[in-house]
Amino acid sequence: MSITFKPYGGEVFYHVDDFPYHLLSPSKLVTGKKVKYHSTFMTFDIESTTITASDRPEGFMYIWQAAIGETDPIAVHGRTWYEFFEFLQRIRAIFHPTAGMRLVCYVHYLAYEFQFIRNLLNFTEVFATDKRQVLRAFADGIEFRCSYKLSNMSLDKFCKYTGAAHKKVVEHFDYTKTRTPETALSMIELYYCYCDVVGLHEAIQKELESDTLGTIPMTSTGYVRRDCRDAMKSNGKNWNWFNRCALNPKTYTLVKEAMRGGDTHCNRRYAGEILEDVDCYDFASSYPYVMMCEYFPNSPFVSVGKIGDGKFRKYLETHCVLFRAYFRNLRLKDGVTNPYVSLSKCTGYSKKNITCFNGRVMQAEVIAMTLTELDFEIIGHDYTYDQIALSDVHIAARGYLPEELKDQIRDYFQAKTDLKGVDSYLYGKSKNKVNGIFGMACTNPIHSEIRLEDNEWKEEYPDLVKALLDYKKNRNNFLPYQVGLYVTAHARRNLRDIIWLAGGGNVYNDTDSCKTWGVDIADAVEEYNRTYVIPKAEKFKAYAIRPKTGEKVYMGIAEKEESYEQFRSWGAKKYAYVQGGKLHLTLAGVSKAKGVKQLDSLHDFRLGKVFVPDCGRTTAWHNDTPAHYITVDGTTIFTASNVAVMNSSYKLGVTDEFIESLQVDIDTLNEL
């Protein structure tokens, strides 16, 4: 039956049997690209328990909750899927949704809930970005959408970011407790369920202040893509530029091979050591700065055929160059402690006798990779080799990104500066847009089609020639794929400037930051900013102006941040530090907040350290089963396909190759 939360303002959490359906009525319709949508929308969520049944874990739902309305949502819950079916049937009878006139239902991380309902509802459309990564799904008039993809935030953060009145009640819910549909839930547990759907509904309402359900993007990057597309369309010459830079199957393949993200690594000389007084330098808006100030391919990549060393070197100075390089006896130069070449980016058919440190190549008898001239410059600075052979050398003219695109980046950066400390929601939105520019630029234009067919996920790869032609002809597209390649390449090259200033004192770097120890490079970094970054930023107007002081805030400068009292790293994304007297942890796969609670000090952050299952690390099993019944604690439960999620531990470790590469005895390090 319905619950009234008297301690929380008297809010009512209706049961499906006494839900006030009479308060709902067909709402106005808004127009989307191909269909119309009711302006009334729903949010939906489930809570589940995992048990071990037969030979593998199985999950099942013990309560579902939804909120529906246009502005003031009414919340409802049920304990069985039959009650959910009844609720949907009553809702459909009110709104009469169809394939062309849909009712939207947002689910935070739809991929999870979809696994529970995929065999319970009649889904006729499923759009997924990867197997099991469902972005949108349609069943009998209801379009389910993923609000996690829309926000790129946890539900807790999304509700706080949008100023939703109902926040996630995270501290009052024990996820490890086994519950069934007949388990009595406490008032705080029920309020937790209530807030999940009402808070999400309020967050979506905030996003709809500047959109409708027909225009709101499906992903967080979609906001940026829409703004930049509109800006680019304001000048017809940009369409000519987009077409002029079109890739063919060969150059697309080379770009995809050369595409690489940020440069994240630790110094093998100091790996595992506890270092005192570590300085930190961060690039301000590194990727936006690159897009504002650095050069990009401004013509199609064309093959130069066989080429001599002299001409190749000249092209490296004057053109964007994309090529495959084959090295013999590649090896790090003396004193270089942070290898640049990533083994994962080296082509598989040309590898022989390779020595790595944490996935980075220190030496190789034979190795091949696809590079840009920027990557090649870094390799030339940090490595030596006996021979190099080239193939598939392509060049493009250098130029700068269209001014209309840069204007949009400036607007984002200025808005972020104007709103800091003034309006937290709009500031956060502007900040997210600044950060989203990179995601937009690096999006692969060629996607495989992911289908759910006969209860199995199937992936079909498109014809590359046709897909590239379709991408070129589509007027909604405006940014060549190679732009993303050069955004990250320039950012890695710029980061190397600080790494090289620090030399062996660079103890860790990650995309746009560098941590140093034992060297004082503050003056050198200031000189770098003054003589290199700021003149470029001035030339291309890569700055914002503070509204009160008129001071310029530059993109791209290397800023010295608060130092660490102590720092210890065991590899990429494996480090802990003390800052301001407080211990912090960054460990891939482990919650920062939960994991750090299991550390006594940096001395405790040693190899073999086991983070127990409450560290935020989980393991998931996907069970693609048809509808069936199970019995748990004497309760018969109707269920179907599901996800079983179990907390798991994490043991801090490194590979034997990592240990062999260290310049200090591992047992000595572990005793620190």
Side-chain angles (χ1 to χ4, degrees):
M1 303 280 48
S2 299
I3 298 113
T4 301
F5 298 116
K6 292 182 180 179
Y8 308 108
E11 296 172 302
V12 180
F13 196 13
Y14 291 98
H15 185 266
V16 62
D17 289 338
D18 54 13
F19 183 83
Y21 296 98
H22 64 280
L23 296 179
L24 299 176
S25 60
S27 52
K28 66 180 180 181
L29 299 175
V30 296
T31 302
K33 288 183 179 180
K34 297 180 180 180
V35 302
K36 293 183 177 181
Y37 297 97
H38 287 276
S39 54
T40 294
F41 68 96
M42 291 198 306
T43 54
F44 173 69
D45 183 37
I46 71 168
E47 303 303 330
S48 65
T49 284
T50 292
I51 60 171
T52 300
S54 62
D55 61 340
R56 64 183 288 126
E58 182 171 1
F60 61 89
M61 180 275 297
Y62 62 84
I63 186 171
W64 61 266
Q65 50 267 354
I68 185 168
E70 187 171 354
T71 54
D72 297 314
I74 308 173
V76 61
H77 71 280
R79 304 299 298 268
T80 70
W81 286 121
Y82 293 117
E83 291 175 329
F84 181 59
F85 302 154
E86 178 187 345
F87 175 71
L88 291 184
Q89 184 177 8
R90 300 282 296 269
I91 292 300
R92 289 191 182 103
I94 296 169
F95 292 94
H96 303 288
T98 65
M101 191 174 65
R102 302 182 175 193
L103 186 68
V104 172
C105 180
Y106 276 100
V107 184
H108 210 72
Y109 199 55
L110 177 59
Y112 181 79
E113 268 77 6
F114 180 80
Q115 178 65 14
F116 284 84
I117 61 178
R118 56 182 274 190
N119 290 333
L120 297 178
L121 301 181
N122 180 33
F123 285 99
T124 53
E125 297 176 19
V126 177
F127 178 71
T129 56
D130 204 345
K131 293 178 180 179
R132 303 190 187 280
Q133 295 301 308
V134 182
L135 179 63
R136 185 176 68 247
F138 176 77
D140 297 326
I142 299 177
E143 182 174 295
F144 294 86
R145 297 180 182 177
C146 182
S147 52
Y148 173 74
K149 294 292 186 181
L150 171 69
S151 63
N152 197 29
M153 302 176 193
S154 68
L155 179 57
D156 181 44
K157 187 175 180 181
F158 188 33
C159 290
K160 291 176 181 176
Y161 162 73
T162 54
H166 295 81
K167 309 296 192 298
K168 191 171 180 66
V169 191
V170 292
E171 66 274 17
H172 296 295
F173 202 88
D174 181 3
Y175 293 94
T176 64
K177 183 178 176 181
T178 299
R179 302 175 178 89
T180 75
E182 293 186 2
T183 301
L185 300 179
S186 68
M187 192 65 72
I188 189 63
E189 288 173 330
L190 288 165
Y191 192 61
Y192 169 96
C193 299
Y194 175 88
C195 287
D196 271 9
V197 287
V198 174
L200 177 57
H201 200 285
E202 292 167 342
I204 298 296
Q205 284 182 55
K206 184 68 175 180
E207 294 295 287
L208 290 175
E209 289 180 0
S210 54
D211 265 299
T212 71
L213 290 167
T215 62
I216 190 170
M218 290 293 163
T219 67
S220 57
T221 305
Y223 289 103
V224 178
R225 189 179 306 281
R226 181 175 62 188
D227 291 345
C228 292
R229 180 192 301 117
D230 291 345
M232 291 284 281
K233 282 185 175 181
S234 67
N235 185 345
K237 292 182 179 179
N238 293 331
W239 178 249
N240 297 332
W241 169 76
F242 173 74
N243 276 271
R244 184 171 69 247
C245 295
L247 297 170
N248 58 41
K250 180 67 173 183
T251 53
Y252 166 80
T253 300
L254 290 171
V255 169
K256 189 175 179 182
E257 289 176 357
M259 185 72 74
R260 182 176 164 185
D263 186 1
T264 304
H265 210 261
C266 76
N267 185 329
R268 74 181 190 279
R269 180 179 295 166
Y270 300 116
E273 291 196 34
I274 298 176
L275 305 175
E276 310 276 346
D277 300 321
V278 172
D279 290 332
C280 306
Y281 296 88
D282 282 9
F283 280 99
S285 299
S286 173
Y287 289 146
Y289 167 79
V290 164
M291 296 182 75
M292 293 292 295
C293 300
E294 306 291 10
Y295 67 79
F296 289 84
N298 199 36
S299 71
F301 276 104
V302 295
S303 174
V304 298
K306 291 185 178 180
I307 185 172
D309 185 70
K311 198 167 187 179
F312 173 69
R313 301 283 172 175
K314 179 176 278 190
Y315 281 140
L316 292 175
E317 297 295 325
T318 59
H319 286 71
C320 294
V321 188
L322 188 59
F323 60 98
R324 290 185 175 123
Y326 305 79
F327 295 95
R328 182 172 293 279
N329 290 332
L330 179 76
R331 54 203 181 275
L332 276 177
K333 292 180 179 178
D334 291 342
V336 177
T337 56
N338 290 58
Y340 177 75
V341 174
S342 175
L343 183 63
S344 66
K345 298 303 297 183
C346 297
T347 50
Y349 52 82
S350 297
K351 295 179 184 178
K352 186 177 180 182
N353 295 337
I354 298 172
T355 302
C356 288
F357 170 64
N358 204 206
R360 297 297 181 88
V361 176
M362 295 196 299
Q363 61 184 32
E365 183 178 340
V366 176
I367 201 164
M369 62 202 81
T370 304
L371 304 170
T372 68
E373 74 282 3
L374 297 162
D375 300 303
F376 190 66
E377 180 187 355
I378 297 172
I379 290 172
H381 186 282
D382 288 358
Y383 291 81
T384 187
Y385 48 87
D386 293 347
Q387 289 181 304
I388 181 174
L390 307 174
S391 73
D392 305 299
V393 180
H394 288 71
I395 62 170
R398 293 180 181 180
Y400 294 92
L401 294 180
E403 199 61 30
E404 290 75 17
L405 181 60
K406 293 193 197 181
D407 284 341
Q408 188 61 62
I409 297 172
R410 289 188 192 98
D411 287 348
Y412 285 160
F413 195 65
Q414 184 64 55
K416 173 186 169 186
T417 304
D418 291 345
L419 294 164
K420 188 172 184 179
V422 177
D423 187 312
S424 59
Y425 170 70
L426 292 178
Y427 168 76
K429 205 168 185 67
S430 297
K431 182 179 179 180
N432 288 343
K433 286 184 175 182
V434 171
N435 296 336
I437 293 167
F438 162 68
M440 175 194 71
C442 287
T443 301
N444 190 336
I446 309 302
H447 306 284
S448 56
E449 182 182 356
I450 309 295
R451 301 193 314 276
L452 185 58
E453 191 175 289
D454 298 328
N455 203 34
E456 291 185 7
W457 290 103
K458 296 182 180 179
E459 186 172 9
E460 183 176 332
Y461 294 92
D463 176 83
L464 190 54
V465 174
K466 182 180 183 302
L468 287 170
L469 183 61
D470 289 344
Y471 182 75
K472 176 183 176 181
K473 294 165 75 173
N474 189 333
R475 284 273 179 174
N476 284 325
N477 298 323
F478 59 92
L479 207 58
Y481 184 36
Q482 57 268 39
V483 168
L485 170 65
Y486 273 78
V487 168
T488 56
H490 277 298
R492 291 192 303 272
R493 172 60 187 83
N494 291 342
L495 178 62
R496 283 281 147 174
D497 283 331
I498 306 303
I499 292 174
W500 291 337
L501 284 176
N506 174 52
V507 295
Y508 191 90
N509 52 268
D510 187 348
T511 308
D512 59 358
S513 66
C514 178
K515 308 181 194 309
T516 67
W517 178 78
V519 293
D520 184 359
I521 63 170
D523 291 342
V525 170
E526 283 299 313
E527 179 68 13
Y528 170 79
N529 288 332
R530 186 168 53 251
T531 61
Y532 180 76
V533 179
I534 293 177
K536 263 191 173 182
E538 283 283 354
K539 178 181 178 180
F540 295 101
K541 298 181 180 179
Y543 55 78
I545 298 177
R546 294 194 192 279
K548 292 184 179 180
T549 65
E551 175 191 2
K552 289 181 178 177
V553 181
Y554 293 104
M555 303 178 198
I557 61 171
E559 300 173 310
K560 188 174 183 181
E561 305 290 334
E562 182 183 355
S563 297
Y564 298 157
E565 288 98 84
Q566 292 182 315
F567 176 83
R568 189 179 200 181
S569 174
W570 290 104
K573 303 294 184 182
K574 290 182 182 180
Y575 64 89
Y577 61 95
V578 177
Q579 186 180 51
K582 187 177 179 181
L583 185 62
H584 300 264
L585 173 70
T586 294
L587 187 59
V590 170
S591 164
K592 291 183 179 183
K594 292 183 177 181
V596 76
K597 291 179 180 179
Q598 298 186 28
L599 286 178
D600 298 327
S601 65
L602 282 195
H603 298 278
D604 196 24
F605 187 59
R606 55 165 58 94
L607 295 184
K609 167 69 178 180
V610 176
F611 292 85
V612 299
D614 192 31
C615 67
R617 184 181 179 89
T618 59
T619 303
W621 287 263
H622 289 81
N623 300 302
D624 300 328
T625 51
H628 62 285
Y629 290 91
I630 59 174
T631 300
V632 180
D633 294 340
T635 300
T636 300
I637 302 167
F638 176 68
T639 186
S641 55
N642 59 82
V643 185
V645 179
M646 299 185 70
N647 290 332
S648 59
S649 61
Y650 179 96
K651 184 176 181 179
L652 181 60
V654 294
T655 64
D656 291 341
E657 184 180 62
F658 184 102
I659 294 173
E660 291 170 2
S661 303
L662 296 178
Q663 299 180 351
V664 181
D665 179 68
I666 193 67
D667 293 329
T668 301
L669 286 176
N670 232 24
E671 291 173 0
L672 291 177

